[in-house]
Amino acid sequence: MDHGNEVVQTNNDFAIRNQTNDEALVFLHLPKTGGRSLVEVINANIPRAKIFPYVEWNKIVDNISKQKDYYHFRGHLFYEIGNIINRPVKYITMMRNPIDRIVSQYRFICRTPDHKRYNKVKDMSFREFISEKGNHRCYIRFLTYVPRQTGSLPYSDEMIPQKNRRSAVELAKERLDGFEFVGITEKFSESLDVFSGRFGWPKPGILPRNNASPDYDRIELTSSDIRLIQEYSADDIEIYDYACRLLEDSVSKLS
């Protein structure tokens, strides 16, 4: 995902006007969706002193007593963070085509020795990786799971609060309806237009390319690979399609 080389515009005086500790802005950074590029826009418009210094779920929970001093929270967080922040929450997120997202996730783990799953994944073929159901349904997980209070992220389907998976998909959509902003990686420019307009922040220049996968480990997907991902990620694909429609509606309101 190449967003160019221009520097993000900065205007903290302008951005800070409506930031108070009476509410919280939470960025649910879904893995491998271009979230680091969005973080640059946020950093340009929210003073560092108002950004919660912890990004891991367990560290946020352990340090939640300090949260009243901060406006912005971000990381690979669950929607449920809103239940441990004692004030109104505005949610924002980015989503990516689930097929591209899982390819990117596999490549990232394989080239990152300090990743917690590196030792397990590094010797797996891509087919083996996508054959494990726990590597799918990222959006369902972060939007509907009720996580353990500490420890690593849960991957078991048992963590879904609804026994009916159909209910989990509908809950995810319902929650997205209440988000302040839902961006789409494949429509990054339009997403930035909506994001900047929603918060009254200066429109950023083209962002640098952040955390993008190198070309040397490209994966050629077979039709069988695609069918398997579509089967195991069917819920996420439905949620992604819904998010795309939400963005389209937001773009139409700009004109």
Side-chain angles (χ1 to χ4, degrees):
M1 179 180 61
D2 191 350
H3 301 313
N5 297 306
E6 295 181 23
V7 177
V8 179
Q9 299 174 22
T10 303
N11 191 340
N12 280 348
D13 289 340
F14 178 85
I16 200 173
R17 289 177 186 171
N18 294 317
Q19 295 169 15
T20 73
N21 289 349
D22 295 331
E23 64 180 15
L25 177 67
V26 173
F27 176 27
L28 296 190
H29 181 179
L30 305 174
K32 310 310 297 177
T33 59
R36 290 195 179 185
S37 296
L38 192 66
V39 163
E40 289 207 11
V41 180
I42 295 170
N43 287 347
N45 290 284
I46 298 179
R48 182 176 296 274
K50 283 184 169 282
I51 300 175
F52 200 63
Y54 303 100
V55 296
E56 296 87 359
W57 175 266
N58 57 332
K59 289 186 178 180
I60 288 178
V61 172
D62 291 343
N63 291 275
I64 201 63
S65 62
K66 307 172 184 176
Q67 57 101 0
K68 291 184 179 179
D69 295 329
Y70 300 94
Y71 166 71
H72 177 52
F73 299 75
R74 65 188 181 216
H76 297 323
L77 307 176
F78 298 91
Y79 182 90
E80 287 295 317
I81 190 175
N83 288 332
I84 64 173
I85 297 178
N86 296 321
R87 51 195 153 130
V89 170
K90 291 182 178 180
Y91 288 98
I92 60 176
T93 197
M94 292 285 298
M95 288 192 169
R96 183 180 187 180
N97 184 306
I99 295 175
D100 295 333
R101 196 208 68 79
I102 198 170
V103 170
S104 181
Q105 181 75 19
Y106 171 75
R107 294 172 66 196
F108 177 73
I109 295 173
C110 287
R111 69 173 189 271
T112 310
D114 60 349
H115 193 284
K116 64 184 178 183
R117 301 186 65 208
Y118 175 77
N119 289 331
K120 178 181 179 180
V121 174
K122 65 183 177 67
D123 295 323
M124 296 175 73
S125 68
F126 179 67
R127 182 70 181 194
E128 290 171 332
F129 183 78
I130 63 175
S131 295
E132 292 194 0
K133 290 186 177 181
N135 291 322
H136 300 261
R137 308 181 75 244
C138 169
Y139 302 154
I140 281 284
R141 184 180 306 130
F142 283 97
L143 287 169
T144 69
Y145 277 28
V146 178
R148 292 183 288 269
Q149 291 299 296
T150 59
S152 59
L153 301 183
Y155 285 91
S156 170
D157 280 357
E158 295 176 359
M159 297 298 292
I160 298 179
Q162 291 75 30
K163 293 182 179 180
N164 186 314
R165 296 177 77 168
R166 183 73 244 159
S167 297
V169 172
E170 294 307 317
L171 176 61
K173 291 179 182 179
E174 178 183 326
R175 288 179 168 176
L176 286 179
D177 283 336
F179 273 48
E180 195 73 13
F181 165 76
V182 179
I184 299 297
T185 307
E186 292 81 6
K187 298 182 179 180
F188 201 81
S189 178
E190 297 97 322
S191 297
L192 288 182
D193 288 339
V194 172
F195 185 65
S196 300
R198 188 65 50 86
F199 288 94
W201 294 350
K203 182 178 179 180
I206 300 175
L207 294 174
R209 187 176 182 178
N210 283 320
N211 206 29
S213 299
D215 292 334
Y216 65 78
D217 61 349
R218 293 282 180 190
I219 293 173
E220 295 294 331
L221 293 179
T222 66
S223 57
S224 178
D225 290 337
I226 293 173
R227 285 195 299 271
L228 183 60
I229 298 171
Q230 289 173 332
E231 176 185 352
Y232 286 172
S233 291
D235 293 343
D236 273 11
I237 290 172
E238 182 174 345
I239 293 167
Y240 168 78
D241 289 342
Y242 187 76
C244 287
R245 293 195 293 274
L246 290 178
L247 179 64
E248 289 173 3
D249 290 343
S250 296
V251 170
S252 67
K253 293 174 183 177
L254 291 177
S255 56

